[in-house]
């Protein structure tokens, strides 16, 4: 007895002993009224101090698991260890269709599994080696010293007030007219979109968006039962005349657009096209959900206004964003900027579902932004990603026989191969050579994207980028040769 | 011009200047090709250093908002400030019924508004003055030094692995058989319940629970369209024979129970009753959603096993909990322990909706728990809350002419008044005297609770508790006198 007690480092020993004994009592290995060894005995048996045993016993007594008899020692209390008849439900029979769909569309579960030795172009997460952890710590300590107890207690569904004010100001600087607008803080972009989809009336049950578009939005549209019409992407943004044709023929509940560094094509919609798009949606009185994705990451070039700023005093744009592709996605903070009235409703949906987003995360992010660390960080991030971007483009052009390559910067490129090439099959071959990427079909609203692929380069080292692209190119050439 | 530029403390001045100018450019107050003052001029005009202006100008140039002409100075770039025709949608017409319901059931919006000068028995949040902010900081710095960059990047939908393992072990110590079980980390208890409700098949569309029960669960049942049958609470838990009658008459999709410090009644279900309840549900093969609410806060008394531990190897209990009523609710971390197969599905729903819960929050909580700070903190918290509990009970008995009072500890008490007393009307009168509490009707599955109220004492000072209870009692006596 007691010889399977093992001490793990980094956790107080009295707690480990207490938990060990508690477990023996609750699972019936120590019986009611059984006498425990004296503190001296147990200490010597386990080679720990007698005081440690004393503290553990005192805690167990306080929790009602053991009792002390003066002059006699410590004994196990009466503990109900009765188990009710064990029943086995078949949970697969108990979950609904939507849940099966969520499982089926779960790329993390069903996508190609890769390991750390491989070169993966899958990710468009930021490179964590760029994070200025020191300034993040500073922001944390700074905020905690200002209002640590407040930050750790319940907050408000709408969000942490200083952050809300910061973001309203931030959007104003971007040219957004924030009068009659408000902010809701969410657990990242994804929760923002999910709350909107859960809250809006489904009238036509149809959404119009770019084709391809980002997979997590597509997944949510499908889970919410929307029909999806996708409009083809030209090099300066969506095909506006095709968009107009669709709008004139069918009713839509809303449009979903990613004007900057569009995921997956990497295309930045031109200013001219933004105006055309906005005029069109004004004419059709159609709400737009704008994904502010990576707007902050523009390496250079002239200033581009978001659709939300083009809307002026209009209230039909719902702007959702987060810094998650640039800064600290591990803290899940995103935001929605929209009409005050709409935010009023969304706030209640947010409260019903998750009460509020972590106040700690919001407060530290606020401090980090306000102290100006973000400004410094984004400069460094831009220059690093720009270099990687240029390298990736250069070697794609050199090694990969593509039909079209798009991507104006950001964290990824998109490649269209000859129509008869299946990028899924290409992936299978590349996988064997230690390289993975995302086949483009998961981004498409229809079955048109089998010959496309997305290359995320943000987390790769330069030599990995070059080596990976060469392998993809060489493998592709072999496939093309065989098809001839 | 430039005379409305005002410097706020705590944010680098060059960023403030840059943002000020950016805003003037994006909203058209500075026109294309307009010459900006020289850095020397602007510095002297605004009483800031020339270097500050230089840095701001350099950033603006990099963002494409201004351009420099050698020897001539800085000029405003071409910026599209076109606004599309402003359209106004009526968003109230665009949100769905469920959203109206979420708004209607939103107590934070529609409950009685109170201010900080008042004595509020509304809250059952922990008292933030108890938080050991210093140890929380220590846990943060400790974790950041171990893997700061990992913690700040994307994590996994299921949760942060060390925390998952910690919680599995933690449940084991409580006596739960964790073989074939798994953990999903959620944004607090509320997201856990919402994910479960979203994932389970609605067959009968009916849920059975204690009456009264906690309002946020009731809200979610209603939002998910469930019919709710409530079983009356006796002093040692739910009325088992009434429970049996209901189960024998109607089909239910699942039961929802809060065995410890039941919210709102504060009742701890006895061990005997837990066994009876479990036997009953085993016989009916009915899933149970167990709310582990405040289990950790038992002041004293014998060990009580959770329903999840009574289930043994059975897989029909879905246990949801969080530390939010005890420890740091500002970080939104809760967890579900359930059958592996069910967690497999819930994971995909979680991923589709919020990607994952903040890795930072999970990692710091893990470190805080693992370092043993929680053990120390809970001892202090228990002793403080126990004192407040005893004080509240004492003065309720002295001042309030109730029919029944329940609450075995925890953070709140529940009071039943004579049937003809409307606690909403009592609240109105008390409000005028600076005291608020929660009328009990919001916790009821039916219209039976108008004469009940919940008193949360966790965040009040002793003298506030005494004074508040006296005011409630005196006001009640006046109402009762008038009714005679």
């Amino acid at each position: 007895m007691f010889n399977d007690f093992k001490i793990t480092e980094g956790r107080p020993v009295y707690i480990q002993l207490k938990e060990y004994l508690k477990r023996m009592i609750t699972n019936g290995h120590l019986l009611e009224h059984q006498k425990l060894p004296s503190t001296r005995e147990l200490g010597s048996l386990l080679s720990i101090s007698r005081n440690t045993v004393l503290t553990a016993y005192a805690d167990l007594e306080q929790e009602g698991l053991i009792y002390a008899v003066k002059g006699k020692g410590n004994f196990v209390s009466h503990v109900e260890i009765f188990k009710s008849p064990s029943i086995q439900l078949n949970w697969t029979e108990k979950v609904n269709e939507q849940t099966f769909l969520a499982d089926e569309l779960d790329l993390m579960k069903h996508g190609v599994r890769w390991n750390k030795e491989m070169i993966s172009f899958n990710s468009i997460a930021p490179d964590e080696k760029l994070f200025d952890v020191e300034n993040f710590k500073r922001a944390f300590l700074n905020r905690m010293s200002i209002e640590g107890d407040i930050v750790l207690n319940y907050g408000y569904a709408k969000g942490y007030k200083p952050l809300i004010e910061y973001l309203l100001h931030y959007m104003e600087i971007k040219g957004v007219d924030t009068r009659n607008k408000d902010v809701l803080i969410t657990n990242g972009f994804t929760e923002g979109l999910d709350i909107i989809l859960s809250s809006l009336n489904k009238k036509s049950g149809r959404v119009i968006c770019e084709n391809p578009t980002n997979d997590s939005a597509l997944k949510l549209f499908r889970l919410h039962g929307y029909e999806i019409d996708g409009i083809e992407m030209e090099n300066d943004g969506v095909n506006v005349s095709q968009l107009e044709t669709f709008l004139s023929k069918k009713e839509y509940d809303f449009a979903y657009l990613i004007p900057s560094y569009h995921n997956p094509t990497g295309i930045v919609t031109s200013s001219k096209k933004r105006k055309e798009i906005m005029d069109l949606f004004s004419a059709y009185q159609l709400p737009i959900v704008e994904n502010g994705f990576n707007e902050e990451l523009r390496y250079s070039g002239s200033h581009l206004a978001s659709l939300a700023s083009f809307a002026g005093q209009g209230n039909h744009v719902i702007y959702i964003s987060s810094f998650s592709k640039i800064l600290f996605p591990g803290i899940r903070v995103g935001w929605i900027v929209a009409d005050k009235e709409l935010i009023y409703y969304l706030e209640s949906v947010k409260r019903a579902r998750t009460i509020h987003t972590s106040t700690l995360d919001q407060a530290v992010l606020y401090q980090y932004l306000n102290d100006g660390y973000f400004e410094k960080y984004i400069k460094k991030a831009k220059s690093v990603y720009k270099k990687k971007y240029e390298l990736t483009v250069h070697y794609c052009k050199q090694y990969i026989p593509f039909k079209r390559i798009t991507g104006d910067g950001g964290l990824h490129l998109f490649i269209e191969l000859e129509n008869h090439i299946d990028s899924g099959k290409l992936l299978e071959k590349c996988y064997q050579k230690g390289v993975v990427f995302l086949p483009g079909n998961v981004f498409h609203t229809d079955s048109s994207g089998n010959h496309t692929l997305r290359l995320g380069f943000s987390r790769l080292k330069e030599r990995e980028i070059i080596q990976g692209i060469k392998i993809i190119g060489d493998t592709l050439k072999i496939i093309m040769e065989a098809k001839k």
Side-chain angles (χ1 to χ4, degrees), chain A:
Chain A
M1 197 153 246
F2 306 120
N3 52 11
D4 58 342
F5 176 70
K6 281 192 185 63
I7 295 171
T8 327
E9 247 185 290
R11 185 164 169 79
V13 176
Y14 85 92
I15 297 177
Q16 297 189 50
L17 177 60
K18 173 184 153 184
E19 290 178 341
Y20 171 79
L21 292 170
K22 189 169 173 178
R23 198 169 161 190
M24 288 185 83
I25 295 169
T26 56
N27 68 18
H29 284 107
L30 287 170
L31 299 173
E32 194 177 340
H33 306 313
Q34 187 170 334
K35 190 175 184 299
L36 292 169
S38 74
T39 51
R40 199 181 302 272
E41 276 166 8
L42 194 55
S44 120
L45 184 68
L46 304 177
S47 311
I48 56 182
S49 87
R50 193 189 159 201
N51 262 335
T52 303
V53 184
L54 266 172
T55 316
Y57 279 10
D59 275 19
L60 288 167
E61 192 181 350
Q62 218 225 330
E63 291 185 25
L65 287 156
I66 65 172
Y67 61 96
V69 179
K70 241 187 176 164
K72 297 215 164 170
N74 291 289
F75 300 85
V76 176
S77 301
H78 170 74
V79 169
E80 195 68 78
I81 54 156
F82 165 84
K83 307 282 182 220
S84 67
S86 158
I87 68 168
Q88 296 297 323
L89 302 176
N90 182 341
W91 283 104
T92 302
E93 281 174 4
K94 292 207 173 285
V95 299
N96 57 30
E97 284 305 315
Q98 214 202 14
T99 303
F100 287 130
L101 187 58
D103 170 40
E104 191 190 315
L105 298 175
D106 192 332
L107 281 184
M108 290 291 283
K109 273 185 185 172
H110 306 298
V112 164
R113 300 211 171 243
W114 51 279
N115 57 50
K116 281 187 178 167
E117 278 71 54
M118 300 175 83
I119 298 175
S120 168
F121 290 96
N122 281 8
S123 178
I124 55 168
D127 185 351
E128 63 254 20
K129 289 188 288 294
L130 284 177
F131 292 160
D132 51 344
V133 175
E134 288 313 312
N135 282 334
F136 186 82
K137 281 189 203 167
R138 236 168 246 136
F140 168 87
L141 292 172
N142 198 341
R143 201 70 215 158
M144 289 301 283
S145 73
I146 296 168
E147 47 173 8
D149 50 353
I150 304 286
V151 157
L152 293 177
N153 214 333
Y154 279 113
Y156 297 99
K158 255 184 70 183
Y160 180 64
K161 223 175 160 202
L163 183 63
I164 290 177
E165 279 163 11
Y166 184 95
L167 289 171
L168 274 172
H169 179 65
Y170 181 76
M171 296 306 291
E172 259 172 54
I173 293 161
K174 281 181 184 242
V176 174
D177 187 332
T178 59
R179 287 170 294 178
N180 293 315
K181 304 255 177 12
D182 208 344
V183 165
L184 177 75
I185 306 287
T186 59
N187 297 323
F189 165 84
T190 309
E191 196 201 30
L193 183 59
D194 189 45
I195 286 178
I196 289 164
L197 294 178
S198 304
S199 306
L200 293 185
N201 223 334
K202 229 195 253 172
K203 230 173 127 187
S204 68
R206 219 176 282 120
V207 50
I208 193 161
C209 63
E210 291 132 343
N211 189 27
T213 191
N214 69 312
D215 55 313
S216 59
L218 274 182
K219 179 158 72 171
L220 283 174
F221 297 148
R222 286 176 179 141
L223 286 177
H224 284 274
Y226 278 95
E227 247 182 74
I228 307 160
D229 280 339
I231 306 298
E232 67 170 28
M233 284 297 278
E234 297 173 333
N235 285 343
D236 60 347
V238 80
N239 179 332
V240 176
S241 70
Q242 200 188 5
L243 179 64
E244 186 155 19
T245 309
F246 272 76
L247 290 180
S248 69
K249 283 194 182 151
K250 293 196 216 169
E251 293 258 322
Y252 293 94
D253 286 338
F254 63 91
Y256 170 71
L257 297 167
I258 316 172
S260 294
Y261 297 125
H262 176 260
N263 184 6
T265 67
I267 289 168
V268 176
T269 300
S270 69
S271 192
K272 180 172 159 287
K273 237 177 201 177
R274 289 176 192 228
K275 181 178 173 321
E276 287 169 14
I277 290 168
M278 290 304 289
D279 286 347
L280 206 52
F281 285 111
S282 291
Y284 282 91
Q285 301 266 316
L286 202 63
I288 301 169
V289 176
E290 175 179 15
N291 182 346
F293 181 77
N294 276 358
E295 213 167 57
E296 282 70 19
L297 212 59
R298 296 205 65 217
Y299 303 148
S300 62
S302 65
H303 171 80
L304 270 179
S306 63
L307 302 182
S309 29
F310 272 100
Q313 288 186 51
N315 73 351
H316 59 308
V317 177
I318 304 172
Y319 179 95
I320 321 178
S321 200
S322 86
F323 297 120
S324 292
K325 291 295 176 296
I326 310 167
L327 190 74
F328 316 145
I331 65 167
R332 307 292 309 139
V333 181
W335 70 93
I336 304 174
V337 183
D339 184 69
K340 260 201 168 89
E341 198 183 342
L342 178 61
I343 295 288
Y344 171 86
Y345 288 112
L346 300 184
E347 178 192 349
S348 290
V349 176
K350 167 77 182 168
R351 183 173 282 122
R353 289 178 162 205
T354 60
I355 312 285
H356 63 73
T357 294
S358 164
T359 319
L360 175 69
D361 292 9
Q362 294 183 69
V364 180
L365 178 62
Y366 161 73
Q367 194 71 45
Y368 185 90
L369 293 167
N370 194 60
D371 288 353
Y373 298 133
F374 181 64
E375 292 282 330
K376 277 183 211 158
Y377 168 76
I378 192 84
K379 277 182 209 168
K380 188 179 71 177
K382 275 181 188 174
S383 90
V384 170
Y385 291 134
K386 187 175 185 222
K387 222 171 140 195
K388 287 189 184 183
Y389 163 72
E390 284 164 355
L391 190 85
T392 311
V393 172
H394 177 81
Y395 283 95
C396 280
K397 286 184 175 163
Q398 183 167 339
Y399 289 126
I400 299 179
F402 53 75
K403 204 172 78 183
R404 183 192 186 200
I405 188 167
T406 54
D408 299 317
L411 308 169
H412 63 274
L413 291 176
F414 197 67
I415 288 178
E416 269 180 54
L417 305 172
E418 296 300 330
N419 286 349
H420 63 279
I421 304 287
D422 182 329
S423 62
K425 295 228 170 91
L426 174 62
L427 173 60
E428 275 172 35
K429 304 269 185 206
C430 290
Y431 182 84
Q432 290 162 10
K433 297 175 189 166
V435 178
V436 294
F437 53 79
L438 269 185
N441 59 338
V442 298
F443 301 104
H444 282 74
T445 60
D446 49 25
S447 57
S448 67
N450 289 333
H451 63 302
T452 63
L453 57 112
R454 189 186 75 179
L455 297 182
F457 50 75
S458 49
R459 293 170 91 175
L460 293 175
K461 296 190 185 86
E462 297 196 358
R463 57 161 183 76
E464 292 174 320
I465 292 174
I466 301 170
Q467 197 188 334
I469 291 172
K470 191 164 182 316
I471 287 171
I472 295 171
D474 289 350
T475 312
L476 178 59
K477 282 170 200 160
I478 294 168
I479 293 175
M480 289 171 80
E481 201 57 41
K483 291 232 170 182
K484 268 183 191 163

